[in-house]
Amino acid sequence: MYTQGLDQKGQPEPGRDAPETPEQLEAFQRRIDAEEKIEAKDWMPEAYRRTLIRQISQHAHSEIIGMQPEGNWLTRAPTLKRKAILLAKVQDEAGHGLYLYGACETLGVSRDQMVADLLSGKSKYSSIFNYPTVTWADIGAIGWLVDGAAIMNQIPLCRCSYGPYSRAMIRVCKEESFHQRQGYDIMVELCRGTAAQKAMAQDALERWWWPSLMMFGPSDSDSRHSAQSMAWKIKRFSNDELRQKFIDVTVPQAEFIGLTVPDERLQFDEDTGHYRHGEIDWQEFIDVISGNGPCNRQRIAKRRRAHDDGEWVREAARAYAQKHAARAA
Amino acid sequence: MSNDQWPLYEVFIRSKSGLNHKHAGSIHAADDQMALDAARDTYTRRNEGVSIWVVRSSQIVASDPAENAAFFEPAEDKIYRHPTFYEMPDGVENL
């Protein structure tokens, strides 16, 4: 579902302990500038590898943790149709996590290591999944806004310079459109319903709007790794550019179903053709990514429990495979 | 019981009859059959395939990109393998 510029501060300087020669680095940059894709076994600067491992593994973790807020409503979906759709969507999120773990493994990090880093809290995931889903309308808001923001971010990632990541993103993007549409469909239906249902949709928009804008990561002026990621063509647009695009396409969608975006300063600027928006509460963003959002502890505790509870399944599968291999021998 | 992670498999999918199998990605699985099932659930949730191959990644023999220049060199200097190498006289047809 989503990757985010999470740890913009406090990371080691790229290339600080790298033994690369200037000639190698220049040759690599020439390939990037020529829009050549970098493949798994190609030479790459250590900092490029580390940046990708960090970004792709965070992205994979986000897909996996992202199953929790939505999974919360699987047993309480209002109809069988909505339940079947939500189940398919949550299964897609698991699939997206697997595509991404697979892409990340090509960089030389093991799946077990990535999982361990998520469970220990060493590796981060998107801030958005630390917010609770308290009503059914939240499922609509997540599909519409969170997946909408994800699409905005992921479409340029389809052209990322690293081949395996780019291919995984193409696959993800094909599926993501279903996610966004099913979310908007929920909102449309609520807005056409009773006054209470419409109020539920409005409430969900109010709670998810600002956290969705934060998904694009810190403002360009505070985003430390952006310039290098742009030069390596991992990133194609800045955080603020993507955020602006998202606002421009989403505000009319809210108006179409009679919902009000919770930003008093939101105003369409005729000259630029863009919406001007109010200040984002960056302190809230920092709090959430530092582990103090509404659900951070709950999310990781649940993921740890699921991992532990799955141990007997993994053990059984291994035992079954060993038994059959022994019989065949 | 060993706590090692399951072996890695590469997944190849034929999207429809008449086309080649194409690399789709990879999955981990405890054995071959489970690899096929996992590949189906991971890579063909929307009818993306009519046939799946899975192969242990450790079984794949790959060329080394660092050696590309030398490895593919034999094809570099044989431009006479391409039809455009030959200039046909004006007036001759169906060639």
Side-chain angles (χ1 to χ4, degrees):
Chain A
M1 181 177 293
Y2 197 66
T3 178
Q4 184 174 50
L6 287 172
D7 34 13
Q8 305 289 346
K9 299 241 159 71
Q11 290 292 318
E13 286 293 335
R16 189 175 53 186
D17 53 358
E20 291 112 4
T21 67
E23 292 75 24
Q24 281 176 309
L25 293 169
E26 277 163 29
F28 180 79
Q29 191 62 47
R30 271 197 304 277
R31 291 192 66 193
I32 298 277
D33 292 343
E35 296 288 337
E36 271 184 52
K37 295 285 184 214
I38 307 303
E39 293 295 342
K41 291 186 165 182
D42 293 351
W43 186 89
M44 62 187 83
E46 204 41 43
Y48 177 83
R49 182 189 303 275
R50 266 186 309 192
T51 299
L52 279 169
I53 288 176
R54 188 177 63 236
Q55 178 166 337
I56 303 173
S57 65
Q58 283 177 358
H59 194 163
H61 298 330
S62 300
E63 305 285 351
I64 299 301
I65 297 291
M67 293 195 286
Q68 290 187 33
E70 293 184 292
N72 184 37
W73 280 89
L74 278 173
T75 56
R76 283 172 282 163
T79 65
L80 190 57
K81 179 187 111 179
R82 292 292 181 193
K83 180 174 179 164
I85 292 171
L86 186 58
L87 199 56
K89 180 182 191 288
V90 173
Q91 192 190 19
D92 272 355
E93 307 300 357
H96 295 179
L98 293 178
Y99 306 156
L100 288 160
Y101 282 130
C104 202
E105 280 177 284
T106 65
L107 292 159
V109 58
S110 76
R111 178 84 53 101
D112 283 355
Q113 185 59 53
M114 287 187 270
V115 170
D117 286 349
L118 171 65
L119 298 182
S120 73
K122 185 180 166 208
S123 195
K124 292 190 166 74
Y125 57 87
S126 180
S127 57
I128 195 76
F129 302 116
N130 291 312
Y131 291 87
T133 43
V134 293
T135 73
W136 169 250
D138 290 4
I139 300 305
I142 287 183
W144 171 37
L145 301 172
V146 175
D147 290 299
I151 290 172
M152 231 17 120
N153 182 64
Q154 287 172 168
I155 285 179
L157 284 174
C158 295
R159 294 191 292 128
C160 161
S161 61
Y162 187 57
Y165 193 26
S166 137
R167 292 192 289 274
M169 281 296 96
I170 290 169
R171 200 172 274 281
V172 166
C173 282
K174 278 186 189 161
E175 301 179 354
E176 206 74 70
S177 178
F178 143 57
H179 296 181
Q180 193 189 16
R181 282 172 167 232
Q182 67 84 36
Y184 194 67
D185 187 56
I186 290 172
M187 297 305 263
V188 168
E189 198 161 310
L190 288 171
C191 289
R192 286 178 183 161
T194 63
Q197 285 170 327
K198 186 162 183 179
M200 189 189 275
Q202 178 63 36
D203 166 65
L205 171 60
E206 286 174 16
R207 282 180 293 108
W208 289 92
W209 175 256
W210 291 104
S212 297
L213 297 188
M214 293 174 199
M215 284 176 66
F216 294 94
S219 179
D220 293 351
S221 49
D222 297 322
S223 185
R224 191 169 114 181
H225 285 308
S226 279
Q228 182 60 77
S229 283
M230 296 273 235
W232 278 331
K233 299 193 198 279
I234 293 171
K235 206 174 166 143
R236 299 271 179 173
F237 298 98
S238 76
N239 295 351
D240 287 339
E241 282 171 332
L242 291 169
R243 189 167 13 246
Q244 185 65 54
K245 270 192 186 181
F246 173 75
I247 294 170
D248 289 344
V249 303
T250 309
V251 172
Q253 293 167 354
E255 287 169 352
F256 185 83
I257 47 177
L259 296 180
T260 308
V261 172
D263 179 354
E264 284 173 3
R265 289 173 58 193
L266 190 76
Q267 199 183 0
F268 188 70
D269 185 334
E270 297 282 353
D271 296 337
T272 61
H274 295 296
Y275 283 90
R276 273 183 283 172
H277 60 90
E279 267 300 299
I280 291 169
D281 180 359
W282 290 116
Q283 190 53 49
E284 176 180 326
F285 173 74
I286 291 163
D287 288 346
V288 176
I289 62 168
S290 318
N292 297 314
C295 300
N296 296 56
R297 278 174 276 283
Q298 181 188 333
R299 298 288 185 243
I300 287 297
K302 187 162 184 179
R303 184 87 275 286
R304 283 198 193 120
R305 202 159 60 241
H307 189 75
D308 292 346
D309 290 349
E311 178 51 33
W312 73 269
V313 179
R314 294 191 293 276
E315 193 179 317
R318 273 193 300 267
Y320 178 86
Q322 280 166 6
K323 193 172 84 179
H324 279 258
R327 269 193 203 158
Chain B
M1 187 56 64
S2 144
N3 212 29
D4 291 346
Q5 67 182 357
W6 295 337
L8 188 67
Y9 286 81
E10 299 302 319
V11 179
F12 299 83
I13 293 172
R14 186 200 297 285
S15 57
K16 61 178 191 181
S17 294
L19 297 180
N20 296 323
H21 283 78
K22 195 174 155 194
H23 186 240
S26 56
I27 45 108
H28 285 277
D31 69 13
D32 297 352
Q33 185 57 47
M34 287 186 254
L36 269 180
D37 292 346
R40 176 200 59 197
D41 294 345
T42 307
Y43 292 105
T44 63
R45 288 192 303 284
R46 287 175 176 77
N47 302 316
E48 289 96 334
V50 295
S51 164
I52 299 178
W53 290 347
V54 290
V55 59
R56 289 260 189 127
S57 309
S58 58
Q59 294 293 310
I60 289 185
V61 182
S63 65
D64 178 358
E67 300 295 327
N68 269 4
F71 189 71
F72 292 106
E73 188 274 335
E76 283 294 320
D77 60 353
K78 296 179 183 62
I79 53 172
Y80 46 83
R81 280 187 164 146
H82 298 278
T84 47
F85 177 76
Y86 304 93
E87 203 170 309
M88 293 293 109
D90 286 346
V92 67
E93 285 177 5
N94 298 320
L95 269 171

